[in-house]
Every structure is written in structure tokens, then in C-alpha cells.
Amino acid sequence: IKRVGRDSGIATQQTKYDFWTEFKACAFSNPAFAGEFKEHAAAATRVYSLGIGSSDACVHLTVNTMTNVVGVELHVPDNKPLYDELYSCRDNIEASVGKSLDWNRCDENKISRIRIEHSSDLQDSIKKKESFDWLVKYALLFKTAFGDVIAEKA
């Protein structure tokens, strides 16, 4: 029987907090990652935010502990012209990242997102470590690919 309610919500929050705490230990031991991003406290949320040197956008690392999916997304708050400029460079950005990305202008919202996701078994310690490595790899690729375009437009 699956428990629903307050206790399961607290367990989910603890799982997210533990995930980001373990992620930080792994990620910030990587000199390339530690050199590009500032470490901050883990939280019991689905998102760990990373600055990319511009107030116009940031990188969000995401975890969904229910579906076992991690992701990296460029979060562009309240700046559709910037999103449109990035979209016009889509081919070059995707070539830099090495994968097709999910582009979502979100016309009904202020925030636009560009993301990539990865499925894994987050309960398995080996698969979780692989997910951490995947997050590190794509966070660095996103910062480079998007940061270059954003810097040119600044």
C-alpha cells in the first residue's frame, strides 16, 4: 500500500535534499564544474540553480524522484526576445551540446525553457552516480553553448 499525504511528502522532500547533497559532493569535486559554477546549499526542491554569468538566464538542474528523470534546462525568465535570439541559433547550440533539445517558448508564461532530460534508476547508487556525471556534463555544455550566445547579445 502506497502512503499518501504528509508523511510521503516529507519523505519525497528528504529524498530531493539527499539527492542534491550527494550531487554537490560529486559535482564540486570536478575541477571543471567547480571552476564554472558557484556552490550553494542543497534544498528539498526539484531544482538546483546555477548562474551562467548573466541575469537574463540561468541553468536549472532538475530531478523528478517519482519518475526517475533528471534534466538540465536553460531558464529564461521574462525575456522572449532573448529566447527568440537563442532559438535563431538553435542549430549551432544543439551542435555544441551534441543533442537535440526541447525548446519551449511558453507564450502563456513569463518563463521560457530549453531542456534535455535523462532517465535513470535513482535508487541504484551506480545509476545515480551516472546521473550526477550526466548533469555535470550537460550543465557545462549548456553554460558554454548558451553563455556564448548570451554574451554576444549583451
Side-chain angles (χ1 to χ4, degrees), residues 81-99:
L82 175 59
Y83 175 88
D84 294 340
E85 185 63 37
L86 293 168
Y87 190 83
S88 74
C89 300
R90 178 180 180 171
D91 291 341
N92 289 339
I93 290 169
E94 289 183 345
S96 292
V97 172
K99 297 245 184 215

Side-chain angles (χ1 to χ4, degrees), residues 28-153:
F28 287 98
S29 68
N30 177 317
F33 190 88
E36 290 293 327
F37 300 110
K38 291 183 180 169
E39 185 174 359
H40 60 84
T45 64
R46 63 177 281 284
V47 175
Y48 189 86
S49 297
L50 300 168
I52 60 169
S54 170
S55 60
D56 290 324
C58 65
V59 169
H60 280 183
L61 307 181
T62 62
V63 61
N64 185 324
T65 56
M66 302 300 285
T67 60
N68 285 310
V69 172
V70 295
V72 177
E73 69 180 37
L74 187 76
H75 180 88
V76 183
D78 204 16
N79 193 337
K80 300 301 182 195
L82 175 59
Y83 175 88
D84 294 340
E85 185 63 37
L86 293 168
Y87 190 83
S88 74
C89 300
R90 178 180 180 171
D91 291 341
N92 289 339
I93 290 169
E94 289 183 345
S96 292
V97 172
K99 297 245 184 215
S100 294
L101 306 175
D102 177 22
W103 295 76
N104 193 343
R105 192 171 191 274
C106 300
D107 287 324
E108 66 284 357
N109 297 317
K110 287 186 175 184
I111 298 166
S112 297
R113 293 180 179 89
I114 305 154
R115 78 177 95 198
I116 187 172
E117 293 182 331
H118 173 73
S119 295
S120 184
D121 179 357
L122 301 177
Q123 309 310 312
D124 178 291
S125 61
I126 293 170
K127 296 288 186 183
K128 186 189 291 185
K129 169 68 168 89
E130 290 171 0
S131 294
F132 294 158
D133 292 342
W134 185 92
L135 287 166
V136 165
K137 174 184 177 178
Y138 285 98
L140 289 167
L141 288 169
F142 266 49
K143 182 171 184 185
T144 300
F146 289 105
D148 290 347
V149 176
I150 292 169
E152 288 175 16
K153 303 307 169 201

